[in-house]
Amino acid sequence: MTNMRPPNKTTLLKVVILGDGGVGKSCLMNRFVSNRYDENNFHTIGVEFMNKDIDVDGEKYTLQIWDTAGQERFRALRTPFYRGSDVCLLCYAIDDYDSFRGLKQWRQEFVNYADVKPDKFPFIVVGNKNDMAHHCRQVPFDEVKQWCDQNTINSQIETSSKTATNVTDAFVLAVRQWKHMERIAEIELKQNDTIDLTKTIKLAHNRFCCTGGGSTASTSASGFQASDSDDESMNISSPRRVGKKQQKGQSLTQFQL
């Protein structure tokens, strides 16, 4: 018996694109979904989403891509859509160092509102506008790689929505990173659910069972105290009283073992 996915089944993944306004998030989504590029594209208000079917490594996926507004005034509109996300693309523009510096805040905002563990979630860092002339570049690729390593992000790529360079590759990379994280999660889940039968099972101390004879047992601070009949069956000598019958107001002070 196998757990392989049926060949005709499509996996739905929710992908969120985050980044400062003007880095090209909407252009990236439009180029990937409909292969269109509009240089005069307006800023997104709130959120927009599009669907795109894609085949990755022989498996079918439907990507539900959410493009979010980058301006601070739209925070209340975009953050409710973070929950339930499977992948997050953190976008900056290679000719805008401030947009790269802002990735830290975007990542933290997503972690807080999506309620995910940052080191166990697939983030993809995307540097857009790599069609720019070399002298326009403000963000070195090596510096981005160093930042990704410090934040346990394994995937980064540079794209151009204008020339369609690496646009599809960015989303393929996102799917592969999601699959990688899913495998890790499955392995950890199996390890946590496995019972090691070779280990000795330790039973709780001071456990006892009372049977028959109408005997009673009472728990004390030092363990338990059994009745006379229980003491005899357990081969334990009980203290016996000698002397006169205890009078009212007196305490019993003499025992014989």
Side-chain angles (χ1 to χ4, degrees):
M1 185 175 179
T2 179
N3 292 324
M4 293 180 62
R5 182 184 292 108
N8 295 326
K9 185 174 181 179
T10 300
T11 302
L12 176 65
L13 298 180
K14 180 179 179 181
V15 181
V16 175
I17 307 178
L18 301 181
D20 288 355
V23 300
K25 300 185 300 296
S26 298
C27 292
L28 187 71
M29 180 180 69
N30 288 326
R31 174 63 83 177
F32 174 65
V33 174
S34 57
N35 198 26
R36 291 188 298 104
Y37 175 77
D38 184 3
E39 197 164 355
N40 299 316
N41 199 27
F42 294 101
H43 288 295
T44 303
I45 299 176
V47 293
E48 298 176 353
F49 80 94
M50 294 182 176
N51 288 342
K52 173 76 172 181
D53 294 329
I54 187 174
D55 188 287
V56 179
D57 301 329
E59 297 183 355
K60 297 178 180 179
Y61 297 86
T62 296
L63 303 186
Q64 188 183 81
I65 306 165
W66 293 78
D67 171 30
T68 61
Q71 287 75 20
E72 178 64 24
R73 65 180 182 273
F74 295 125
R75 176 195 288 251
L77 296 177
R78 66 175 177 256
T79 51
F81 294 93
Y82 293 174
R83 282 190 174 272
S85 298
D86 297 294
V87 184
C88 178
L89 270 59
L90 298 172
C91 293
Y92 68 96
I94 67 170
D95 64 337
D96 183 359
Y97 193 85
D98 288 339
S99 68
F100 167 66
R101 188 184 294 114
L103 293 186
K104 178 180 179 180
Q105 179 180 345
W106 283 110
R107 180 173 178 265
Q108 190 59 50
E109 179 181 290
F110 180 84
V111 167
N112 291 341
Y113 286 93
D115 192 22
V116 298
K117 295 181 179 179
D119 58 336
K120 297 181 181 298
F121 188 87
F123 287 99
I124 314 296
V125 174
V126 179
N128 202 22
K129 303 184 181 181
N130 76 339
D131 56 280
M132 292 283 186
H134 182 73
H135 68 272
C136 296
R137 176 184 285 271
Q138 296 184 12
V139 186
F141 186 82
D142 291 341
E143 186 173 346
V144 178
K145 186 178 186 304
Q146 182 180 4
W147 184 85
C148 290
D149 292 340
Q150 292 173 351
N151 291 275
T152 62
I153 297 176
N154 299 321
S155 302
Q156 63 176 124
I157 191 171
E158 289 188 352
T159 63
S160 170
S161 302
K162 185 176 183 178
T163 63
T165 304
N166 291 340
V167 172
T168 299
D169 293 341
F171 289 91
V172 170
L173 182 63
V175 173
R176 287 174 175 164
Q177 185 64 16
W178 173 83
K179 290 174 63 178
H180 175 69
M181 290 292 188
E182 284 292 295
R183 292 193 194 101
I184 294 177
E186 289 177 1
I187 292 173
E188 291 179 350
L189 183 62
K190 289 180 180 179
Q191 290 176 343
N192 292 335
D193 289 344
T194 301
I195 300 176
D196 190 352
L197 297 179
T198 64
K199 292 184 178 180
T200 304
I201 300 176
K202 295 182 179 181
L203 298 177
H205 295 292
N206 296 334
R207 228 179 240 186
F208 61 91
C209 178
C210 301
T211 57
S215 301
T216 59
S218 58
T219 303
S220 65
S222 60
F224 66 92
Q225 181 179 7
S227 65
D228 290 346
S229 59
D230 288 331
D231 291 337
E232 292 172 0
S233 63
M234 296 174 66
N235 232 353
I236 300 175
S237 299
S238 301
R240 299 187 181 278
R241 300 174 186 174
V242 294
K244 296 182 180 180
K245 186 177 180 181
Q246 182 181 1
Q247 300 296 326
K248 185 176 181 180
Q250 293 180 329
S251 61
L252 185 62
T253 60
Q254 186 176 8
F255 292 91
Q256 180 181 6
L257 296 176

